[in-house]
Amino acid sequence: MTDPLQPLPDTPEVAPAARAGATTMLVRSVGWLFISAGAFLLLYLVWLLWITGFETGAAQEDLLGEFEGFGQADTSGDLLAGASDDDPTLGDGDATLLDGTGIAVMEFERPGSDESIVRDKPVVIVEGTSVGALQRGPGHYVNTAMPGQDGNFVVAGHRTTYGAPFYNLEEIAPGDLIHVTMKNGDRFTYSVLDDSSGGAAAGQHIIRPTETWVLDRDPVGVGGPMLTLTTCHPRFSATYRLIVFAELVS
């Protein structure tokens, strides 16, 4: 008869081994979970920062093809390129414009310099600031003025994704020119103002996303047609907004 005060021979050996095996399995499972999550995050970042750029690039090529002189055969950013008078104007505040429709081509110039600023080629501004519209290019706030009209023509653009049209917006300086060409050939030139705020460089403003005064008809007292560009700041963050104001000069 077995002494009840004595443990079975294999009891102290099997229990620790079982516990060790369970712990090893748990550690391995958690490890694979972190590895899988890291791989998924890496793939998501690749898609967000690079693949979306290819998608927007393809959309921009199609949109540029709608503007004579800016199509695939000529995307060098020729500041003298115009558009056909046969195309309908999109500069009359037509409320029937569809979200994502190309309304104008925008180019940047520093007078007296061959230096490329902000972008080295033209970019098409589309109607609307919905997620889908901004995936095609910088978008026009629908409740603000159209190019050349009295009031504030406001354009928002991504800083780091979907082609990052305003990735280098901080390069802009007072006196730089922003050219906006419509489908009917109308061309408007805006000059960047020299004021600043929020600790930004001259000609730039850093504000919080809740400061919607930049969308007002005349936010800085220009007294005439103006252009406002807005994007996230700093890069890879949406904590603030980088703002550029410009007034119509021609």
Side-chain angles (χ1 to χ4, degrees), residues 45 48-49 157-161 166-167 206-209 230-242:
L45 290 175
L48 193 64
L49 298 177
H158 282 294
R159 191 83 186 273
T160 54
T161 58
F166 291 162
Y167 184 85
I206 297 175
I207 66 171
R208 295 188 179 277
T230 172
T231 191
C232 292
H233 181 81
R235 293 190 187 113
F236 307 102
S237 172
T239 304
Y240 299 99
R241 298 290 183 267
L242 176 62

Side-chain angles (χ1 to χ4, degrees), residues 46-59:
V46 169
W47 172 81
L48 193 64
L49 298 177
W50 284 282
I51 304 303
T52 60
F54 292 123
E55 295 173 350
T56 303

Side-chain angles (χ1 to χ4, degrees), residues 160-185:
T160 54
T161 58
Y162 293 100
F166 291 162
Y167 184 85
N168 291 318
L169 189 61
E170 80 283 351
E171 294 179 353
I172 211 141
D176 287 345
L177 301 179
I178 304 171
H179 305 279
V180 178
T181 304
M182 309 297 288
K183 281 187 176 181
N184 70 340

Side-chain angles (χ1 to χ4, degrees), residues 1-245:
M1 183 174 181
T2 304
D3 186 350
L5 299 180
Q6 296 295 324
L8 295 175
D10 58 353
T11 299
E13 299 174 359
V14 172
R19 288 196 297 270
T23 301
T24 301
M25 287 291 292
L26 178 61
V27 171
R28 286 179 178 176
S29 298
V30 172
W32 279 111
L33 180 62
F34 277 109
I35 291 173
S36 299
F40 175 80
L41 180 60
L42 180 60
L43 290 173
Y44 174 73
L45 290 175
V46 169
W47 172 81
L48 193 64
L49 298 177
W50 284 282
I51 304 303
T52 60
F54 292 123
E55 295 173 350
T56 303
Q60 280 285 307
E61 285 189 6
D62 291 341
L63 290 167
L64 280 169
E66 300 173 4
F67 294 80
E68 186 174 331
F70 291 99
Q72 296 182 11
D74 179 16
T75 57
S76 60
D78 181 2
L79 295 178
L80 299 179
S84 171
D85 290 335
D86 295 331
D87 288 333
T89 178
L90 293 178
D92 299 327
D94 186 356
T96 62
L97 283 175
L98 297 177
D99 193 63
T101 300
I103 63 172
V105 174
M106 182 166 57
E107 302 166 282
F108 298 86
E109 178 191 8
R110 178 156 291 162
S113 173
D114 294 331
E115 178 185 4
S116 175
I117 59 168
V118 184
R119 292 181 59 85
D120 58 3
K121 61 181 181 179
V123 62
V124 178
I125 302 169
V126 302
E127 180 71 357
T129 54
S130 66
V131 172
L134 293 178
Q135 289 175 357
R136 293 168 59 80
H140 163 238
Y141 276 89
V142 296
N143 293 322
T144 66
M146 292 294 285
Q149 289 184 340
D150 190 30
N152 188 12
F153 173 48
V154 187
V155 179
H158 282 294
R159 191 83 186 273
T160 54
T161 58
Y162 293 100
F166 291 162
Y167 184 85
N168 291 318
L169 189 61
E170 80 283 351
E171 294 179 353
I172 211 141
D176 287 345
L177 301 179
I178 304 171
H179 305 279
V180 178
T181 304
M182 309 297 288
K183 281 187 176 181
N184 70 340
D186 287 347
R187 176 182 166 83
F188 307 98
T189 298
Y190 298 84
S191 178
V192 175
L193 301 176
D194 60 2
D195 56 339
S196 65
S197 66
Q204 303 171 26
H205 302 260
I206 297 175
I207 66 171
R208 295 188 179 277
T210 54
E211 297 185 56
T212 57
W213 60 270
V214 298
L215 305 179
D216 292 347
R217 181 179 178 84
D218 190 6
V220 289
V222 168
M226 63 173 295
L227 166 67
T228 298
L229 303 181
T230 172
T231 191
C232 292
H233 181 81
R235 293 190 187 113
F236 307 102
S237 172
T239 304
Y240 299 99
R241 298 290 183 267
L242 176 62
I243 308 295
V244 171
F245 296 119

